[in-house]
C-alpha cells in the first residue's frame, strides 16, 4: 500500500471517527453507572477532565476527536453488556422506583467486630455517581422482579474498592443495597427506599423485627474506610408514616424534646428490651442506636434517624426533612457515599469520619498460639483520652478547678486561637470607590487541616525557656508585640505596608498584642516567616506528631469538589467562566445543594467538636463532662487548624496589599471585604490575560483554599448601616444579602 493510500485511509478513518454515533446523554450516564464506573475513572481512561465527562452526560457539549471515537467505543461495549430494559424503553411517564423483595441469605459474610490484621490497606467506598445539573428529578422505571437475586444493573449501589487508586470497583454483596434506606408506609405496606432508585418491601411488623430484618436480609451498610476500621452500620430513616406504623410518636413532646429521648416505660422501649436489643446511654432519640453485643465477630447494630424529631437540623440540612422519600434517600445517599453514613449531626459525623479514616487500633502479629490481639495503631490518637495542657483547657475544665470562681484568664494564661472577627473604617480613598466586594475562602478550615502537623497519642510535655521549633506542635508562651506589620517579609522580600489598614495575625480581633500570650505553633511560625525573632518563655509541646487530618481533608475535599461539579462548577475553570458557573449554581439541583451545605458543615462542625463544651446535664464548673472521655477531645488540634486558617487568610491579604496596595475593610472567619471600583471580584483581584494573578494571594476557583464571590454591596450601603448600628459593625457579616437583622454583638 502506497503512502498516498495510507494517508487517504487515515483521513477517512478520522472523518468517520469525527461523527461516531453516541447514545443520548441520559443513556451515557446509565451505561456508566450500570458498570459501576465513576466519572473520574472514565475521565482517566480518556485522558480528559472529570468535568468534561460530566458535561457530555449532561448533553451540554459533545466529545470531539480523538476522544469521541474512544468514548463511543466504551459506550458500545457497555451497551452490549447492559441492554436497555424493554419496560424502560417503552415507559412514557415517570413511575415509581423498582420494588423488590429481598430473601434471607444465611451465607452472608460476617461483619467484623475487630480490626483487620492488615494495617496499610485501605478499603473505601467508590466515589459516588456524579449528578449533572438537572431540569427535573429523574424517576426509575417500574420493573417487576420474581426473585431476590435479580437486581437492576442501572441502579447499582456504591461499590467497594480495595484502595482509592484501584482501576475498577467490585460490588460488596453484603451491602449491595447501599448504606441506608428511607422507611415509609404506603397504604398499609412498609417500603424502604434505597440508593439508586431501589425499593424494598419490608415484612417487619414491629420495630425489633425491623432491626432484625435490616441486619439479616436488607443488605444495607457500607465498607470500612480503612483496613483497620469497621464497616458502617446500616441507617434507617423514618418518615412520619413509618413512625406511626412502628408505634413511635410523629413528633416529640416538649418534655421529650428537652430530654432528647423517649421517656422510660414507652411501649417501643419495652418491645426492644423483650427482644434483647439495647440502646446507647443517650436512649431513643432523634439519632438512636439499637444493638446487641457482638457474637462470633458479627456486629449487630442499626442506627435510626427520625427527621420529624429534629434529626436533620435545618441549619445544616436545610429543608431535607420535608422532602419525599425518593428525594431524601438520594440526598442522604449521596452524602453517605461521598463522606460517610451520617451518625448524628454533621459535627458528630465529621468527628466520626476522623476515626473511621484513622482507626486507633489494629490487629497485632500472631502470637505463639497464632492468635492476634488489639494493639495501638501508629499515627492515630489512640483509644485513651488524655488531659490537655492547662493553657489549652477551656473555662470550667477540671484542670482549672483550683482557680477562683470568677477568675478571668487573660492571654498569658489561656490559648485563644479563634477565627477573625475584625473591621475598620473606610479611608477617604476607599469611600471614593463605589462598591464593597466580599470574597469567601472555600472550605477554609478543611484547607487549613491539610498538612497540619498535630500531636498524636502522647500527652503534652512542659518545657521552660524553649527554643522555638516550627515543626513541633504545641502551645507557646511568647511576646509578639514587637512585630510591626509596616515592614515584613512577603514572599521572602521586605515590603513596606500600611499597618493601620491591616489586622494583626496574632489575635482574632485583629488588635496588636500587648505582651506575652499563648499561641499555637502555626501562629508563632508565621511571626518568624514575617522576618522577626521570637523567644518563648515556656511551652507545652507534643513530640509524637503526625498529619492526622490529611485523609480526613482529602475525603471531604473530594466530596466538596465532586458535589460542586454536579452543580455545574468544575475545576480549573478560567476566572470569568468560574463566576458564571457559580451564578445560581444551587438552583440547578436543590438536593445536591443541600449535600454541599452539609459537607461544609461537616468540616466546620468536626473541627469545632474537637473542643466540645459541656451541655446541660447538671454540669458544674470544675467537674468533667462526657466529651472529655473521648480520645478525639483535642483542643490543641482545633487550635492548630484555626490558627492555620487565620494565618492563611492573613498571608493572602499581605500578598495582595504588597502587589496592589489594596487592604481589607472587614474580615469574618473565611470572608474578606474589600473596596473596589466594580461589583465583581475581577474588579478587585488583578488577573492578567493568561489568567494568572498575584502569587500567594486570593485566586478564584472551586478548590479548597481558593475563593468565590460572597456578595457585593455599595459603599453608600456600608455608610448607612454603620451610621445606624455603629462603626464597629462587621460588614463581612452582612455583605452577602445586605440585610442587617440585629445589632452586631461580635458573637
Amino acid at each position: 500500500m502506497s503512502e498516498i493510500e495510507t494517508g487517504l485511509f487515515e483521513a477517512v478513518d478520522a472523518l468517520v471517527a469525527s461523527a461516531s454515533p453516541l447514545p443520548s446523554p441520559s443513556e451515557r450516564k446509565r451505561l456508566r453507572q450500570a458498570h459501576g464506573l465513576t466519572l473520574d475513572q472514565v475521565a482517566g481512561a480518556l485522558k480528559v477532565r472529570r468535568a468534561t465527562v460530566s458535561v457530555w452526560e449532561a448533553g451540554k457539549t459533545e466529545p470531539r476527536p480523538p476522544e469521541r471515537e474512544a468514548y463511543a467505543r466504551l459506550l458500545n461495549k457497555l451497551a452490549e453488556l447492559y441492554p436497555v430494559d424493554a419496560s424502560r424503553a417503552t415507559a412514557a411517564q415517570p413511575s415509581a422506583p423498582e420494588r423488590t423483595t429481598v430473601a434471607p441469605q444465611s451465607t452472608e459474610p460476617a461483619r467484623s467486630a475487630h480490626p483487620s490484621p492488615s494495617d496499610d490497606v485501605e478499603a473505601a467506598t467508590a466515589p459516588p455517581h456524579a449528578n449533572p445539573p438537572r431540569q427535573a428529578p429523574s424517576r426509575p422505571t417500574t420493573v417487576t422482579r420474581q426473585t431476590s437475586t435479580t437486581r437492576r444493573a442501572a441502579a447499582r449501589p456504591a461499590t467497594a474498592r480495595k484502595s482509592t487508586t484501584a482501576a475498577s470497583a467490585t460490588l460488596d454483596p453484603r451491602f449491595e443495597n447501599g448504606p441506608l434506606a428511607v422507611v415509609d408506609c404506603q397504604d398499609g405496606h412498609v417500603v424502604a427506599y434505597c440508593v439508586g432508585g431501589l425499593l424494598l418491601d419490608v415484612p417487619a411488623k414491629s420495630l425489633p423485627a425491623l432491626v432484625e430484618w435490616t441486619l439479616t436480609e436488607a443488605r444495607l451498610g457500607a465498607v470500612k474506610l480503612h483496613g483497620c476500621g469497621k464497616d458502617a452500620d446500616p441507617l434507617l430513616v423514618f418518615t412520619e408514616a413509618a413512625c406511626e406504623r412502628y408505634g413511635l410518636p410523629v413528633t416529640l413532646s416538649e418534655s421529650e424534646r428537652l430530654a432528647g429521648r423517649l421517656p422510660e416505660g414507652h411501649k417501643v422501649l419495652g418491645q426492644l428490651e423483650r427482644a434483647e436489643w439495647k440502646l446507647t446511654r443517650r436512649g431513643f432519640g432523634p439519632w438512636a442506636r439499637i444493638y446487641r453485643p457482638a457474637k462470633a465477630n458479627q456486629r449487630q447494630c442499626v442506627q435510626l434517624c427520625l427527621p420529624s424529631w429534629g434529626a436533620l437540623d435545618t441549619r445544616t440540612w436545610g429543608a431535607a426533612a420535608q422532602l419525599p422519600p425518593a428525594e431524601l434517600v438520594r440526598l442522604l445517599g449521596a452524602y453517605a457515599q461521598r463522606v460517610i453514613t451520617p451518625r448524628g449531626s454533621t459535627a458528630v459525623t465529621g468527628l466520626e469520619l476522623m476515626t473511621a479514616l484513622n482507626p486507633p487500633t489494629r490487629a497485632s502479629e500472631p502470637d505463639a498460639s497464632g492468635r492476634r490481639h488489639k494493639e495501638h495503631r501508629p499515627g492515630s490518637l489512640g483509644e485513651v483520652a488524655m488531659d490537655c495542657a492547662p493553657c489549652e483547657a477551656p473555662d470550667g475544665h477540671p484542670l482549672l478547678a483550683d482557680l477562683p470562681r470568677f477568675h478571668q484568664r487573660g492571654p498569658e494564661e489561656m490559648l485563644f486561637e479563634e477565627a477573625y472577627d475584625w473591621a475598620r473604617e473606610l479611608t477617604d480613598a476607599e469611600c471614593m470607590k463605589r462598591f464593597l466586594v466580599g470574597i469567601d475562602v472555600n472550605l477554609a478550615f478543611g484547607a487549613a487541616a491539610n498538612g497540619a502537623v498535630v500531636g498524636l497519642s502522647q500527652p503534652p510535655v512542659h518545657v521552660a525557656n524553649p527554643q522555638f521549633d516550627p515543626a513541633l506542635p504545641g502551645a507557646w508562651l511568647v511576646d509578639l508585640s514587637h512585630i510591626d506589620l509596616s515592614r515584613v517579609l512577603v514572599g521572602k522580600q521586605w515590603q513596606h505596608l500600611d499597618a493601620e489598614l491591616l489586622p494583626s495575625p496574632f489575635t482574632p480581633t485583629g488588635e496588636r498584642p500587648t505582651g506575652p500570650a499563648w499561641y499555637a505553633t502555626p501562629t508563632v511560625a508565621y511571626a518568624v516567616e514575617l522576618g522577626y525573632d521570637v523567644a518563648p518563655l515556656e511551652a507545652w509541646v507534643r513530640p509524637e506528631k503526625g498529619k492526622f487530618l490529611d485523609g480526613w481533608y482529602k475525603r471531604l475535599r473530594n466530596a466538596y469538589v465532586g458535589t460542586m461539579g454536579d452543580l455545574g462548577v468544575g475545576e480549573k475553570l478560567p476566572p470569568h467562566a468560574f463566576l458564571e458557573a457559580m451564578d445560581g449554581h444551587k438552583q440547578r439541583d436543590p438536593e445536591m445543594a443541600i449535600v454541599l451545605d452539609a459537607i461544609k458543615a461537616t468540616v466546620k462542625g468536626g473541627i469545632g467538636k474537637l473542643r466540645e463544651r459541656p451541655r446541660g446535664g447538671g454540669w458544674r464548673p470544675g467537674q468533667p463532662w462526657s466529651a472529655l472521655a473521648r480520645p478525639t477531645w483535642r483542643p490543641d488540634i482545633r487550635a492548630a487548624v484555626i490558627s492555620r486558617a487565620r494565618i492563611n487568610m492573613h498571608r493572602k491579604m499581605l500578598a495582595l496589599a504588597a502587589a496592589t496596595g489594596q487592604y481589607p475593610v472587614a474580615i469574618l472567619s473565611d470572608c474578606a471585604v474589600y473596596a473596589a471600583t466594580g461589583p465583581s471580584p475581577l474588579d478587585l483581584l488583578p488577573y492578567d490575560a493568561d489568567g494568572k494573578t498575584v502569587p500567594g494571594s486570593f485566586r478564584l476557583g472551586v478548590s479548597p483554599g481558593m475563593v468565590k464571590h460572597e456578595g457585593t454591596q455599595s459603599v453608600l450601603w456600608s455608610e448607612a448601616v454603620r451610621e445606624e448600628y455603629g462603626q464597629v459593625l462587621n460588614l463581612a457579616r452582612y455583605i452577602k444579602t445586605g440585610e442587617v437583622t440585629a445589632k452586631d454583638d461580635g458573637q
Side-chain angles (χ1 to χ4, degrees):
M1 184 182 297
S2 66
E3 294 183 0
I4 297 178
E5 290 176 325
T6 301
L8 290 174
F9 288 167
E10 291 176 350
V12 170
D13 291 342
L15 186 62
V16 173
S18 67
S20 296
L22 295 172
S24 65
S26 61
E27 181 65 0
R28 301 170 197 174
K29 180 181 178 181
R30 184 192 75 83
L31 291 172
R32 174 180 60 79
Q33 292 181 343
H35 201 59
L37 297 176
T38 66
L39 288 171
D40 290 324
Q41 290 171 332
V42 175
L46 299 177
K47 302 296 188 294
V48 297
R49 295 187 299 114
R50 180 186 189 277
T52 301
V53 181
S54 180
V55 296
W56 290 349
E57 290 185 353
K60 291 186 175 182
T61 62
E62 290 294 315
R64 298 178 179 178
E67 292 82 10
R68 184 183 179 96
E69 184 178 20
Y71 190 44
R73 180 181 178 84
L74 169 66
L75 296 176
N76 289 337
K77 292 290 185 181
L78 294 179
E80 294 175 6
L81 296 174
Y82 309 101
V84 179
D85 195 301
S87 60
R88 181 186 179 96
T90 57
Q93 298 293 331
S95 56
E98 170 191 350
R99 177 178 299 185
T100 180
T101 302
V102 180
Q105 299 289 334
S106 59
T107 59
E108 178 181 353
R111 297 174 184 239
S112 173
H114 302 286
S116 168
S118 59
D119 178 31
D120 297 328
V121 179
E122 293 188 359
T125 54
H129 304 316
N131 296 287
R134 309 176 301 149
Q135 296 300 322
S138 59
R139 305 289 186 193
T141 54
T142 301
V143 180
T144 303
R145 299 299 183 198
Q146 297 180 351
T147 67
S148 63
T149 58
T150 306
R151 64 175 178 269
R152 183 161 48 96
R156 287 187 182 179
T159 54
R161 295 189 297 174
K162 293 185 178 180
S163 70
T164 56
T165 58
S168 62
T170 57
L171 186 69
D172 191 318
R174 297 175 299 162
F175 313 125
E176 63 180 348
N177 292 331
L180 54 87
V182 175
V183 181
D184 191 23
C185 186
Q186 304 170 358
D187 301 325
H189 298 286
V190 181
V191 291
Y193 289 79
C194 301
V195 174
L198 180 67
L199 197 63
L200 304 179
D201 287 317
V202 181
K205 304 299 183 183
S206 66
L207 186 57
L210 176 63
V211 175
E212 193 80 42
W213 172 84
T214 302
L215 292 174
T216 59
E217 303 178 29
R219 295 189 178 273
L220 295 173
V223 177
K224 55 192 175 184
L225 300 182
H226 190 280
C228 295
K230 299 176 182 178
D231 296 327
D233 297 318
L235 172 66
L236 299 180
V237 184
F238 275 27
T239 64
E240 294 184 2
C243 289
E244 293 179 339
R245 175 63 182 79
Y246 288 106
L248 297 169
V250 173
T251 58
L252 296 177
S253 65
E254 183 64 17
S255 61
E256 293 169 345
R257 186 187 64 80
L258 293 175
R261 65 180 72 187
L262 287 179
E264 294 293 335
H266 193 280
K267 63 178 182 179
V268 170
L269 302 184
Q271 293 174 1
L272 293 171
E273 184 177 359
R274 287 190 295 273
E276 298 183 348
W277 289 106
K278 299 180 180 295
L279 295 168
T280 60
R281 287 182 298 174
R282 294 193 176 187
F284 201 117
W287 291 92
R289 278 193 169 275
I290 304 174
Y291 71 96
R292 284 176 180 156
K295 292 182 180 180
N297 291 341
Q298 279 191 313
R299 283 178 60 81
Q300 301 182 88
C301 183
V302 174
Q303 180 161 303
L304 304 185
C305 168
L306 293 94
S308 61
W309 292 15
L312 301 178
D313 194 325
T314 56
R315 292 171 296 180
T316 54
W317 290 104
Q322 282 71 51
L323 292 176
E327 280 73 15
L328 180 58
V329 75
R330 173 179 179 254
L331 183 156
L332 293 177
Y335 179 90
Q337 291 171 327
R338 299 178 184 199
V339 181
I340 193 175
T341 305
R343 303 184 184 183
S345 67
T346 50
V348 170
T349 303
L351 201 66
E352 291 288 339
L353 180 62
M354 295 180 192
T355 303
L357 291 168
N358 209 328
T361 62
R362 66 180 181 185
S364 67
E365 293 297 325
D367 59 17
S369 63
R371 297 186 61 183
R372 296 178 183 268
H373 305 276
K374 184 171 66 173
E375 67 178 14
H376 172 72
R377 181 179 163 275
S380 72
L381 300 185
E383 284 191 297
V384 181
M386 71 176 71
D387 281 337
C388 60
C391 62
E392 297 166 347
D395 290 337
H397 192 279
L399 289 176
L400 310 176
D402 294 335
L403 291 178
R405 183 176 179 184
F406 297 106
H407 177 73
Q408 295 291 325
R409 293 189 295 163
E412 72 283 355
E413 297 177 277
M414 180 181 182
L415 176 67
F416 192 68
E417 295 283 10
E418 298 294 340
Y420 266 130
D421 188 352
W422 170 85
R424 63 170 175 84
E425 296 184 23
L426 275 68
T427 65
D428 292 342
E430 289 168 339
C431 288
M432 297 302 295
K433 298 180 179 179
R434 294 183 56 192
F435 299 98
L436 293 178
V437 177
I439 51 177
D440 182 79
V441 180
N442 301 323
L443 226 61
F445 296 105
N450 184 33
V453 178
V454 299
L456 297 177
S457 61
Q458 298 299 321
V461 178
H462 184 260
V463 184
N465 299 315
Q467 183 71 28
F468 176 68
D469 183 355
L472 194 59
W476 309 78
L477 180 62
V478 58
D479 188 353
L480 301 180
S481 60
H482 64 288
I483 298 178
D484 184 5
L485 294 181
S486 62
R487 184 176 182 271
V488 292
L489 279 174
V490 180
K492 297 183 179 181
Q493 293 185 352
W494 287 102
Q495 300 284 349
H496 293 275
L497 305 173
D498 191 340
E500 297 297 324
L501 303 181
L502 284 168
S504 168
F506 309 121
T507 62
T509 60
E511 298 177 358
R512 187 170 178 171
T514 57
W518 285 98
Y519 302 100
T521 297
T523 302
V524 185
Y526 187 59
V528 176
E529 180 184 328
L530 293 177
Y532 290 84
D533 295 328
V534 295
L537 303 176
E538 59 177 305
W540 288 90
V541 297
R542 291 174 166 81
E544 188 199 10
K545 58 188 179 181
K547 298 181 179 181
F548 172 75
L549 294 174
D550 272 15
W552 183 80
Y553 160 75
K554 289 174 183 176
R555 186 163 180 87
L556 289 167
R557 184 260 181 209
N558 292 339
Y560 176 82
V561 173
T563 306
M564 288 293 287
D566 291 344
L567 294 172
V569 186
E571 293 186 84
K572 300 180 181 179
L573 291 175
H576 286 88
F578 170 73
L579 292 175
E580 291 176 2
M582 285 293 295
D583 188 16
H585 68 287
K586 289 191 174 182
Q587 283 69 49
R588 295 174 190 144
D589 191 334
E591 293 166 21
M592 286 298 105
I594 294 176
V595 174
L596 182 72
D597 289 340
I599 292 171
K600 293 190 289 187
T602 302
V603 175
K604 284 189 175 182
I607 296 299
K609 201 78 171 174
L610 291 167
R611 199 191 69 162
E612 183 178 0
R613 304 297 298 276
R615 296 181 298 173
W619 174 84
R620 293 183 178 180
Q623 295 179 343
W625 57 92
S626 58
L628 299 184
R630 292 196 320 252
T632 49
W633 192 85
R634 293 292 299 271
D636 57 301
I637 297 180
R638 173 187 179 272
V641 172
I642 294 179
S643 167
R644 282 171 59 93
R646 194 180 66 247
I647 294 307
N648 288 345
M649 175 77 81
H650 196 272
R651 187 181 289 114
K652 295 176 189 295
M653 292 187 296
L654 281 192
L656 185 63
T660 67
Q662 298 180 97
Y663 293 86
V665 171
I667 310 169
L668 182 68
S669 187
D670 47 11
C671 175
V673 176
Y674 282 82
T677 56
S680 169
L682 294 176
D683 298 311
L684 166 66
L685 304 179
Y687 277 91
D688 59 21
D690 296 328
K692 296 181 180 179
T693 186
V694 177
S697 184
F698 299 105
R699 293 175 55 209
L700 291 168
V702 73
S703 296
M706 301 177 77
V707 299
K708 59 182 179 293
H709 185 202
E710 178 69 4
T712 296
Q713 303 297 330
S714 68
V715 170
L716 293 178
W717 164 84
S718 71
E719 294 304 307
V721 296
R722 280 188 162 175
E723 181 177 351
E724 180 177 355
Y725 293 100
Q727 290 296 329
V728 296
L729 186 76
N730 192 330
L731 299 175
R733 195 183 304 275
Y734 313 105
I735 193 70
K736 188 171 187 176
T737 63
E739 297 180 5
V740 182
T741 55
K743 184 177 180 179
D744 186 274
D745 60 1
Q747 299 296 318

